[in-house]
Amino acid sequence: MASRNEIWPNSIGQDVNPDLDIERKSASFSIERLTNILDGGAETTQIRRAVYAVLQSDPEFSLENQYFLSQNERYEGAIRRSIYLHKKMEEMGWPKGGPEQMYCRRALGADLGFNVHFVFIKSILGLGTDEQIAKWVPLAEKYWIAGTYAQTELGHGTYLRGLETTATFDTATQEFILNTPKISAMKWWPGDLGRTATHAVVFAQLNLKGKDYGMHPFILQIRSLRDHAPEPGVTVGDIGPKMSFEHIDNGFLIMKNVRVPRENMLARFSQVLPDGQYVKRGSEKINYLTMIVVRVSILQEEMLPSLMKACTIAIRYSVVRRQSELKPGDPEAKILDYQTQQQKLLPQLATAYAFHFLCAYMQDIFNKAYTEINGGKFDLLPELHALASGIKVIASEYSSAGVEVCRKACGGHGYSLLSGLPSIYTKLVASCTYEGENTVLLLQTARFLLKCLGMAKNGQPLPSSVAYLSSKGFGKCQAQEKRDFLNPNVYTDAYRHRAFRTLRNAAVKLHTLVQLGIAQHEAWNICSVQLAQAAMAHSHYIVVEMFVKAVEKLEKEAAIQRILKHLCDLFALHGIFSNTGDFVQDGYLSTEQTDMVTESYLDLLAIIRRDAVPLVDAFDFSDEILNSALGSYDGHVYQRLYEWAKKSPANRKENPAFEKYLKPLFSNAPSKL
Amino acid sequence: MASRNEIWPNSIGQDVNPDLDIERKSASFSIERLTNILDGGAETTQIRRAVYAVLQSDPEFSLENQYFLSQNERYEGAIRRSIYLHKKMEEMGWPKGGPEQMYCRRALGADLGFNVHFVFIKSILGLGTDEQIAKWVPLAEKYWIAGTYAQTELGHGTYLRGLETTATFDTATQEFILNTPKISAMKWWPGDLGRTATHAVVFAQLNLKGKDYGMHPFILQIRSLRDHAPEPGVTVGDIGPKMSFEHIDNGFLIMKNVRVPRENMLARFSQVLPDGQYVKRGSEKINYLTMIVVRVSILQEEMLPSLMKACTIAIRYSVVRRQSELKPGDPEAKILDYQTQQQKLLPQLATAYAFHFLCAYMQDIFNKAYTEINGGKFDLLPELHALASGIKVIASEYSSAGVEVCRKACGGHGYSLLSGLPSIYTKLVASCTYEGENTVLLLQTARFLLKCLGMAKNGQPLPSSVAYLSSKGFGKCQAQEKRDFLNPNVYTDAYRHRAFRTLRNAAVKLHTLVQLGIAQHEAWNICSVQLAQAAMAHSHYIVVEMFVKAVEKLEKEAAIQRILKHLCDLFALHGIFSNTGDFVQDGYLSTEQTDMVTESYLDLLAIIRRDAVPLVDAFDFSDEILNSALGSYDGHVYQRLYEWAKKSPANRKENPAFEKYLKPLFSNAPSKL
């Protein structure tokens, strides 16, 4: 195969594509300054870049050729890289839980193993006694054992009470006997279980003297440390290929009379005494915090960076790709100059910024709650739980849908794995399901909102995020002309009204049905589509509100505040534009006002388009982290696609199909055609 | 690893899961009769089943273990299977282009190669002279040569005029000289090009004596028939992995002074004489028909079966999966009994039926147009082209989004490749991009609609599918109570009104901008988001209208008509429910009417839920074709997931990561823990 350089002289590694370069020169703000703000300060930017520089200079961390690897190769690479990273961090003196570790995981996340190993450690820290922590955690932290967290079963996910694994206490031997009583009870899905873990925290229904005590956690050895063979009574393996996560060995686990000593029940909150007596102590409420932490952290470490990467790739590509004539006789136009392309990409960019500021807010209120809870006050917990559930849903739905919009907006090339986009989507979309299925979570949030609505009716004070529910109503929108819709008070009121109205309508319907004699559970089910919508509307309002507040705080950064204000407006107006019915249905917005929203929204597209590239540059992803032929900083899209494609195994290997199947047929053709 | 049978006695291959069985016993109609109607007659059902029986009894066609194969294995399997199928069809006496061939492709579609080889043949039939057809087509039909269709370039897709490959005529040698003048001009994406094709129909800008004549097709040999080596001047290879289509070798092609004889320009519509003179003959309009045929056929062969399969898998799974308590104290409920699950799946089921009847309609009007066009009348062509474009968009968008809804509605197990759902989505979603990028197509349809609106204004008659554009307006919706929304006249009027209003608003805006002095092309761009919406609204209206008409025709099938009427209502009301703003914005629907739509829509969910399983059973997919651990007819979901997972290569191979990376660490742990 002739090489590129013989045919086309100039390409990658030299100048930046002028079509991309010109976009940067016209930035209305300092890209570096915005990067610092996103990082939380210039010093953090320096730390982050220093970490990336270390990773990128080390070939062990290279993601080159990642898109060509098999599931087995991805798995083996993830194990190798994780253990190497563990050593590297010690070598560099980067502390556990420090910012460097977070940046390492951000940079290498899609290619590290041992994710659930860390959940194993956290669960022991959260659920174990001091002795249990002292025994197990150091072993796991040094990777002398590998752990997993085995909760989900083949037949049960989000509904924990339905789990069927049993743990029966045998007083005679002072052991728990763990069993998988039927096929649907086998543990299914835990990461690191399929081919790696030696130990597991297993959740099982505790049975003492014939009485059930509900779900409890047990530490179980599942494989030999010496030869990795399953322990007696254990059947363990990999659950097979998934839509993504090729590098992770999600597994299954069957237990048949597996005995663990009494000391292996994690006993911070409840204990079984030698005589089989059950002792409960302390409040498990604090465990909700763990769930909340996990939901905030997947927003920060998975959803947000995924959407930011996709925006970076799609927007850079859209100023390099030229297609068709915009003005007759002109050269072909950059596709980002088409309104339809702006309408696809710029709302995703605004969403990425919205979620960035949402993360900061969630982190703040989480810290506040954490302090209170450690002081024994649990008042903030229900609000925080409802908020984190709703936010997890909107963030996972919007970010995964947004990534897919970005991917499709890159046309055919967005379908190539080399664009980086398909794997971002297929990995991210799992977040709609894991850590609480989205519909279930929305209904949990709805239940909290209904309760608050009832409290408001009774004149009780409400937690701050739902304070608007004690409003008497919001009247009609007061906007007179389209620029009024650039007033945050106008649109946050609209979002508040929408959330309030959808919730109240669902509540009225629920109440009416019950009054008509329909059983509560049945009435709840008949209202659940609308209740879920209300929870979504509430979460959407929170995102808008927090974006507005974050932008207000940037008053010392005029240029950055100006562009972020545009993005905030765009996020809010796009939400109205895309869900018009919710705002118009009861006449809150008039026909004329709806048209104003549309015009205001479309105007913003043209304004933000000018800064689109600087706004994604500010995310400051290195080419190595993006790992995209379409999204690199230099914009040499076509050269890179070609260079990378040539490395495909399909081009390196012989084609056995030719000798076997094609040649015998082709040999029938006349030799000269 | 212990086998299942040692642990759980009863499973696959025996009785049907009672949770699924009971759903079939309560069907309100004859499943077999509905299957016959979907097939177009009981005889066709017999033919189809006979074909499937042949394929399924032949191990060469088995798709077992498909989800575990590498890209190379998938490719080789597709080639092997295609050539074997060719022989099998001859053996069985199944004629080319007959129904058996179609059913074979439907059953094996995801695992056959040579897709573009058939486009190669069709393009010669459409663009070649009789001599050219006689020379090339028999060779290709016997697989003595393998062809591809090389139109798309690295830098250009849908915008054909931008293609950059050149063909310059050399009078001295009577040859065309083909060149790839720059990197963006290389052919990129054609299927079967990467590792298979020996010949290609290449589109290039024809240059005669320094003058450009636009795009023309040339037949080119690209690889040796003897050893498959690239021909002189040709660089060819695979473009690397994609989101799906692992079995297809999409490729690239670079030409450097490749010479082809004058006879190799496909010359049905234009010819180059020996002296370099250009002769045009006949109308190329007929070529639009090819594009239209392709768009109708991907609806029929790709989009529709994909959505039907996804519905079958998700709905069967949703009556087997039980989760959480619906009524306190009751056993866990089937997840399809939750309104939120019905709201996810049943609209997709209704959409599948809507698209089935849409296919039949498109086929009808296509046949009518074909007859007219062969008689030299091209009047129907613009309408047909606009219709096929809009329908391609709505069908690809709705079916791919619908499949993803089905997948996510299966929770974690929908994320496993073994569910069959991820690969249906990742393959189908490509249809939003190929055969005309969706946004570009919508704007083509919008251009036609605008023209029709102008004609209506001038009192000219309109083609039938757009006749409503000559309406003077639709007033307000006349519905008084919620059951009025089950009247097809009420909702088709609403859809007509919405399409009319969105189009008229966009037209008024466009006109106003031009009046204000904004250049036509700029005004068009500023209106393009709204124009695309109008084209989508029109296409949506057509789907509703055609579903209504198809149901009306079933008056002799009372039970089937009744359930299909429910589905038609559901499809229409779901569209209003999901796009309320479009119907409410100008007061066409009042607040009260919107609430009626919601209630009517939610009521339908509960009604259709009862027949949900019979309605997917009627699609009559065999287990082999579904190839899903979740969707099989017997409903033994958990057993099948486990049986299949055990076959994963991850469970069959040693784990080299243990010896290399894990054992050295684990050996530090105390041997007894």
Side-chain angles (χ1 to χ4, degrees):
Chain A
M1 198 169 51
S3 97
R4 174 190 47 80
N5 290 320
E6 296 164 28
I7 306 179
W8 299 284
N10 296 309
S11 64
I12 314 176
Q14 306 196 2
D15 304 330
V16 169
N17 186 322
D19 278 344
L20 191 47
D21 205 34
I22 199 171
E23 300 280 340
R24 292 174 174 135
K25 291 191 171 136
S26 59
S28 78
F29 60 91
S30 156
I31 297 173
E32 179 66 14
R33 186 69 201 117
L34 180 52
T35 298
N36 296 157
I37 290 172
L38 292 172
D39 278 323
E43 303 75 24
T44 325
T45 302
Q46 293 321 310
I47 295 174
R48 182 174 55 74
R49 286 187 184 151
V51 170
Y52 289 178
V54 168
L55 299 182
Q56 280 154 21
S57 65
D58 190 330
E60 289 285 324
F61 294 119
S62 166
L63 301 182
E64 213 187 313
N65 296 327
Q66 185 199 17
Y67 301 121
F68 305 135
L69 302 181
S70 70
Q71 191 187 351
N72 268 317
E73 291 165 329
R74 289 287 300 278
Y75 164 72
E76 195 177 321
I79 295 289
R80 176 183 55 69
R81 212 173 280 115
S82 301
I83 288 172
Y84 184 82
L85 175 64
H86 175 67
K87 277 192 232 152
K88 188 89 181 188
M89 284 188 53
E90 285 186 345
E91 206 179 293
M92 300 296 300
W94 292 341
K96 277 188 199 89
E100 293 89 351
Q101 186 177 30
M102 185 189 74
Y103 291 128
C104 287
R105 295 200 72 80
R106 246 200 224 181
L108 304 170
D111 273 271
L112 291 177
F114 294 100
N115 297 297
V116 181
H117 176 72
F118 292 108
V119 179
F120 170 81
I121 293 174
K122 274 187 197 161
S123 67
I124 296 171
L125 290 170
L127 303 169
T129 60
D130 292 348
E131 301 78 49
Q132 289 173 322
I133 293 171
K135 174 174 179 186
W136 296 104
V137 170
L139 291 169
E141 285 189 336
K142 287 181 285 192
Y143 292 85
W144 291 1
I145 62 173
T148 182
Y149 180 87
Q151 178 179 293
T152 303
E153 295 174 358
L154 190 45
H156 285 92
T158 303
Y159 182 65
L160 298 186
R161 277 191 291 154
L163 295 175
E164 299 172 300
T165 301
T166 58
T168 308
F169 187 60
D170 179 353
T171 324
T173 60
Q174 292 289 301
E175 289 168 322
F176 294 103
I177 309 168
L178 274 79
N179 269 297
T180 303
K182 50 202 286 207
I183 190 164
S184 58
M186 74 165 87
K187 297 296 177 184
W188 194 271
W189 273 114
D192 305 335
L193 171 61
R195 313 179 70 184
T196 311
T198 58
H199 289 71
V201 167
V202 170
F203 280 79
Q205 301 284 357
L206 173 63
N207 187 291
L208 299 173
K209 304 172 191 167
K211 195 183 157 197
D212 282 335
Y213 287 80
M215 297 303 303
H216 286 74
F218 301 84
I219 294 193
L220 189 68
Q221 180 158 359
I222 55 174
R223 284 189 179 95
S224 151
L225 289 161
R226 203 178 323 148
D227 63 5
H228 225 215
E231 293 288 300
V234 166
T235 305
V236 62
D238 191 286
I239 65 164
K242 300 135 294 184
M243 200 165 175
S244 181
F245 286 91
E246 295 90 350
H247 62 301
I248 297 293
D249 54 321
N250 299 84
F252 62 80
L253 170 66
I254 301 166
M255 289 155 288
K256 194 171 179 181
N257 295 322
V258 176
R259 289 175 168 264
V260 297
R262 193 175 61 88
E263 296 74 42
N264 279 26
M265 184 172 109
L266 291 175
R268 182 158 168 204
F269 298 106
S270 46
Q271 198 186 358
V272 173
L273 300 182
D275 63 352
Q277 204 190 317
Y278 183 78
V279 183
K280 208 167 162 54
R281 55 180 168 212
S283 164
E284 285 182 60
K285 276 190 191 167
I286 204 160
N287 277 325
Y288 278 93
L289 267 192
T290 315
M291 256 194 283
I292 295 167
V293 169
V294 171
R295 284 171 195 159
V296 175
S297 74
I298 54 178
L299 170 57
Q300 192 145 26
E301 290 173 20
E302 179 70 22
M303 299 171 193
L304 182 58
S306 300
L307 183 56
M308 285 175 162
K309 279 183 205 171
C311 287
T312 305
I313 296 167
I315 287 177
R316 286 182 181 164
Y317 175 66
S318 295
V319 299
V320 167
R321 178 77 168 183
R322 289 174 171 273
Q323 201 76 182
S324 196
E325 292 173 346
L326 189 54
K327 182 175 171 188
D330 269 8
E332 291 186 70
K334 294 177 172 186
I335 58 175
L336 196 59
D337 287 327
Y338 292 95
Q339 191 190 47
T340 46
Q341 186 77 352
Q342 295 164 11
Q343 137 82 357
K344 291 174 190 173
L345 297 180
L346 302 184
Q348 313 318 324
L349 179 63
T351 304
Y353 275 93
F355 288 166
H356 168 81
F357 292 110
L358 183 67
C359 274
Y361 163 71
M362 292 299 292
Q363 201 61 59
D364 268 6
I365 60 161
F366 174 77
N367 292 342
K368 199 174 144 203
Y370 188 75
T371 314
E372 284 205 2
I373 286 166
N374 272 342
K377 277 189 64 182
F378 293 98
D379 305 6
L380 283 173
L381 205 52
E383 180 193 10
L384 195 58
H385 183 250
L387 197 57
S389 300
I391 292 302
K392 186 265 180 183
V393 176
I394 195 168
S396 56
E397 295 289 336
Y398 279 38
S399 60
S400 57
V403 166
E404 190 64 342
V405 169
C406 290
R407 191 190 65 67
K408 285 159 82 176
C410 294
H413 297 326
Y415 195 74
S416 166
L417 289 198
L418 307 181
S419 72
L421 293 164
S423 51
I424 297 176
Y425 177 71
T426 52
K427 181 155 183 274
L428 176 61
V429 75
S431 68
C432 296
T433 307
Y434 64 59
E435 292 302 330
E437 197 278 329
N438 277 356
T439 305
V440 175
L441 292 187
L442 278 183
L443 290 174
Q444 288 178 4
T445 300
R447 208 174 279 277
F448 170 78
L449 293 174
L450 274 187
K451 206 177 133 196
C452 292
L453 196 66
M455 288 164 63
K457 226 172 152 184
N458 298 332
Q460 292 171 263
L462 295 184
S464 66
S465 65
V466 291
Y468 69 98
L469 293 179
S470 46
S471 158
K472 297 279 166 252
F474 294 82
K476 306 261 175 202
C477 175
Q478 298 299 316
Q480 303 289 323
E481 48 182 340
K482 73 174 178 181
R483 69 172 179 188
D484 290 342
F485 282 101
L486 305 179
N487 178 347
N489 292 328
V490 169
Y491 56 69
T492 47
D493 268 348
Y495 274 92
R496 250 183 235 119
H497 169 74
R498 170 207 193 201
F500 181 71
R501 185 185 61 78
T502 46
L503 181 67
R504 196 192 42 199
N505 285 5
V508 168
K509 179 173 170 183
L510 185 62
H511 183 74
T512 311
L513 290 171
V514 173
Q515 293 290 311
L516 287 170
I518 294 175
Q520 173 70 29
H521 69 271
E522 181 57 24
W524 175 269
N525 190 28
I526 297 175
C527 294
S528 58
V529 164
Q530 286 149 302
L531 286 163
Q533 284 183 326
M536 197 68 170
H538 169 70
S539 309
H540 203 165
Y541 153 66
I542 296 287
V543 183
V544 170
E545 171 90 357
M546 293 311 138
F547 200 172
V548 168
K549 289 200 169 155
V551 172
E552 279 168 3
K553 282 188 202 141
L554 292 166
E555 71 276 353
K556 288 186 188 149
E557 306 275 354
I560 285 173
Q561 192 182 42
R562 192 180 317 119
I563 187 69
L564 291 183
K565 167 72 168 55
H566 289 320
L567 284 170
C568 180
D569 295 346
L570 186 75
F571 179 77
L573 297 187
H574 178 255
I576 302 179
F577 176 77
S578 316
N579 303 279
T580 309
D582 287 357
F583 297 88
V584 182
Q585 194 169 332
D586 64 342
Y588 181 81
L589 290 186
S590 67
T591 305
E592 294 69 32
Q593 287 170 329
T594 312
D595 288 341
M596 290 173 202
V597 169
T598 303
E599 292 309 317
S600 227
Y601 161 64
L602 294 175
D603 289 349
L604 279 168
L605 294 178
I607 293 168
I608 294 168
R609 184 259 167 268
R610 292 176 217 140
D611 278 312
V613 168
L615 283 166
V616 297
D617 280 357
F619 297 148
D620 202 30
F621 288 111
S622 65
D623 286 355
E624 288 80 1
I625 289 179
L626 282 180
N627 207 14
S628 163
L630 301 188
S632 290
Y633 189 84
D634 68 11
H636 288 300
V637 166
Y638 299 133
Q639 291 87 340
R640 201 168 266 107
L641 270 174
Y642 181 45
E643 291 301 319
W644 289 14
K646 283 193 287 185
K647 296 183 202 161
S648 169
N651 291 322
R652 279 189 280 112
K653 289 182 190 163
E654 285 299 294
N655 181 1
F658 174 68
E659 289 291 334
K660 281 195 244 176
Y661 309 114
L662 301 174
K663 195 175 176 180
L665 286 162
F666 295 166
S667 64
N668 296 311
S671 64
K672 256 284 173 249
L673 280 172
Chain B
M1 201 167 51
S3 97
R4 175 189 46 82
N5 291 320
E6 296 163 28
I7 306 178
W8 299 284
N10 296 310
S11 63
I12 314 177
Q14 307 195 1
D15 304 330
V16 169
N17 186 323
D19 278 345
L20 191 48
D21 206 33
I22 200 170
E23 301 278 342
R24 292 173 174 136
K25 291 191 170 136
S26 59
S28 78
F29 59 91
S30 156
I31 297 173
E32 179 66 14
R33 186 68 203 119
L34 181 51
T35 298
N36 296 158
I37 290 172
L38 292 173
D39 277 323
E43 304 74 25
T44 325
T45 302
Q46 293 321 312
I47 296 174
R48 181 175 55 74
R49 287 186 184 151
V51 170
Y52 289 179
V54 168
L55 299 181
Q56 281 154 21
S57 65
D58 190 330
E60 289 285 324
F61 295 119
S62 166
L63 301 183
E64 214 187 315
N65 296 327
Q66 185 199 17
Y67 301 121
F68 304 135
L69 303 181
S70 69
Q71 191 188 350
N72 269 317
E73 290 165 329
R74 290 287 300 277
Y75 164 71
E76 195 177 320
I79 295 289
R80 176 183 56 69
R81 212 173 281 113
S82 301
I83 288 171
Y84 184 81
L85 176 64
H86 175 66
K87 276 191 232 152
K88 188 89 180 187
M89 284 188 54
E90 284 186 346
E91 207 179 293
M92 300 294 301
W94 293 340
K96 276 189 199 90
E100 293 89 352
Q101 185 177 32
M102 186 188 74
Y103 291 127
C104 287
R105 296 201 72 79
R106 248 200 222 182
L108 305 169
D111 274 270
L112 291 177
F114 294 101
N115 296 298
V116 181
H117 176 74
F118 291 109
V119 179
F120 169 81
I121 294 174
K122 273 186 197 161
S123 68
I124 297 171
L125 289 169
L127 303 170
T129 61
D130 293 345
E131 301 79 48
Q132 289 172 322
I133 293 171
K135 174 173 179 187
W136 296 103
V137 170
L139 290 170
E141 286 188 336
K142 288 181 284 192
Y143 293 84
W144 291 2
I145 62 173
T148 182
Y149 179 86
Q151 180 179 292
T152 303
E153 295 173 359
L154 190 45
H156 284 92
T158 303
Y159 182 65
L160 299 186
R161 276 191 292 155
L163 296 174
E164 299 172 301
T165 302
T166 57
T168 308
F169 188 60
D170 179 352
T171 324
T173 61
Q174 292 289 299
E175 290 170 320
F176 294 103
I177 309 167
L178 274 81
N179 269 298
T180 302
K182 51 203 283 208
I183 189 165
S184 58
M186 75 166 89
K187 297 296 178 185
W188 193 271
W189 274 113
D192 305 334
L193 171 61
R195 313 179 69 185
T196 311
T198 57
H199 289 71
V201 166
V202 170
F203 280 80
Q205 301 284 357
L206 173 64
N207 187 291
L208 299 173
K209 303 172 189 164
K211 195 181 157 200
D212 282 335
Y213 286 81
M215 296 304 303
H216 287 75
F218 302 85
I219 295 194
L220 189 68
Q221 179 158 0
I222 56 174
R223 284 186 178 96
S224 151
L225 289 161
R226 204 179 323 147
D227 63 5
H228 226 215
E231 293 287 301
V234 166
T235 305
V236 62
D238 191 286
I239 64 165
K242 300 136 293 184
M243 200 165 176
S244 182
F245 287 91
E246 296 89 349
H247 62 301
I248 297 293
D249 53 320
N250 299 85
F252 61 80
L253 171 66
I254 301 166
M255 290 155 286
K256 194 171 179 181
N257 294 323
V258 176
R259 289 175 169 263
V260 297
R262 193 174 61 88
E263 296 75 42
N264 279 27
M265 184 172 111
L266 291 175
R268 181 158 168 204
F269 299 106
S270 46
Q271 196 186 0
V272 174
L273 301 183
D275 63 353
Q277 203 190 317
Y278 184 78
V279 184
K280 205 163 165 53
R281 55 180 168 212
S283 163
E284 285 182 61
K285 276 190 191 166
I286 205 160
N287 276 325
Y288 277 94
L289 266 192
T290 314
M291 257 194 282
I292 295 167
V293 168
V294 171
R295 283 170 196 161
V296 174
S297 74
I298 54 178
L299 169 57
Q300 193 144 27
E301 290 173 20
E302 179 71 23
M303 299 171 193
L304 182 58
S306 299
L307 183 57
M308 286 175 163
K309 279 184 205 171
C311 287
T312 305
I313 296 167
I315 287 175
R316 286 181 181 165
Y317 175 67
S318 295
V319 298
V320 168
R321 178 76 167 183
R322 289 175 172 272
Q323 202 74 181
S324 197
E325 292 173 345
L326 188 54
K327 182 175 170 190
D330 268 9
E332 291 185 68
K334 294 178 172 186
I335 58 175
L336 195 60
D337 287 327
Y338 292 95
Q339 191 191 46
T340 46
Q341 187 77 353
Q342 295 164 11
Q343 136 82 356
K344 290 174 190 175
L345 298 180
L346 303 184
Q348 313 318 322
L349 179 63
T351 304
Y353 276 93
F355 288 165
H356 168 82
F357 293 110
L358 182 68
C359 274
Y361 164 70
M362 292 301 292
Q363 201 60 60
D364 269 7
I365 60 161
F366 173 78
N367 292 342
K368 197 175 145 202
Y370 188 76
T371 313
E372 283 206 2
I373 286 166
N374 273 342
K377 275 190 65 183
F378 292 98
D379 305 6
L380 282 173
L381 205 53
E383 180 193 11
L384 194 58
H385 182 250
L387 198 57
S389 300
I391 291 303
K392 186 265 180 183
V393 175
I394 195 167
S396 56
E397 296 289 336
Y398 278 38
S399 60
S400 57
V403 166
E404 189 65 341
V405 168
C406 290
R407 192 190 65 69
K408 286 160 84 176
C410 294
H413 297 325
Y415 195 73
S416 165
L417 289 199
L418 307 180
S419 73
L421 292 164
S423 50
I424 297 177
Y425 177 71
T426 52
K427 181 157 183 272
L428 176 60
V429 73
S431 68
C432 296
T433 307
Y434 64 59
E435 291 302 331
E437 197 279 328
N438 277 356
T439 305
V440 175
L441 292 188
L442 278 182
L443 291 174
Q444 287 177 6
T445 301
R447 209 175 279 278
F448 170 77
L449 293 174
L450 273 187
K451 207 178 133 197
C452 292
L453 196 66
M455 287 163 63
K457 225 173 151 182
N458 298 333
Q460 292 171 263
L462 295 184
S464 66
S465 65
V466 292
Y468 69 97
L469 294 178
S470 47
S471 158
K472 297 276 166 258
F474 293 81
K476 306 262 174 203
C477 174
Q478 297 300 315
Q480 303 289 323
E481 48 182 341
K482 74 175 178 180
R483 68 171 181 190
D484 290 342
F485 282 101
L486 305 179
N487 178 347
N489 292 328
V490 170
Y491 56 69
T492 47
D493 268 349
Y495 275 92
R496 250 184 235 118
H497 168 74
R498 170 207 193 199
F500 180 72
R501 184 185 62 78
T502 47
L503 181 68
R504 196 193 41 199
N505 285 5
V508 168
K509 180 173 170 183
L510 185 63
H511 183 74
T512 310
L513 290 171
V514 172
Q515 294 291 311
L516 287 170
I518 294 174
Q520 173 70 30
H521 68 271
E522 181 57 23
W524 176 269
N525 190 28
I526 296 175
C527 294
S528 57
V529 165
Q530 287 148 301
L531 286 163
Q533 283 183 327
M536 197 68 169
H538 169 71
S539 309
H540 203 165
Y541 153 66
I542 296 286
V543 184
V544 171
E545 171 91 357
M546 293 310 139
F547 200 172
V548 169
K549 289 201 169 155
V551 172
E552 279 169 2
K553 282 188 203 141
L554 292 166
E555 72 276 353
K556 288 187 190 148
E557 306 275 355
I560 285 172
Q561 192 182 41
R562 191 180 319 120
I563 187 70
L564 291 182
K565 167 72 167 55
H566 290 318
L567 285 169
C568 180
D569 295 345
L570 186 76
F571 179 77
L573 297 187
H574 178 256
I576 302 179
F577 176 77
S578 316
N579 302 280
T580 309
D582 287 357
F583 297 87
V584 182
Q585 195 169 333
D586 64 342
Y588 180 80
L589 291 186
S590 68
T591 305
E592 294 70 32
Q593 286 171 327
T594 313
D595 289 340
M596 291 173 202
V597 168
T598 302
E599 292 309 316
S600 227
Y601 161 64
L602 295 174
D603 289 349
L604 280 168
L605 293 178
I607 294 168
I608 294 168
R609 185 260 167 267
R610 291 176 219 141
D611 278 313
V613 168
L615 283 166
V616 297
D617 280 358
F619 297 148
D620 202 30
F621 289 111
S622 65
D623 286 355
E624 288 80 2
I625 289 179
L626 281 180
N627 207 15
S628 164
L630 301 189
S632 290
Y633 189 83
D634 68 9
H636 289 299
V637 166
Y638 299 134
Q639 291 88 339
R640 202 168 265 105
L641 269 174
Y642 181 45
E643 290 301 318
W644 290 14
K646 283 193 287 184
K647 297 184 203 160
S648 169
N651 291 324
R652 280 189 280 111
K653 288 182 190 164
E654 285 299 295
N655 181 2
F658 174 69
E659 289 291 335
K660 280 195 245 176
Y661 309 113
L662 301 175
K663 196 175 176 180
L665 286 163
F666 294 166
S667 64
N668 296 311
S671 65
K672 256 286 173 244
L673 279 172

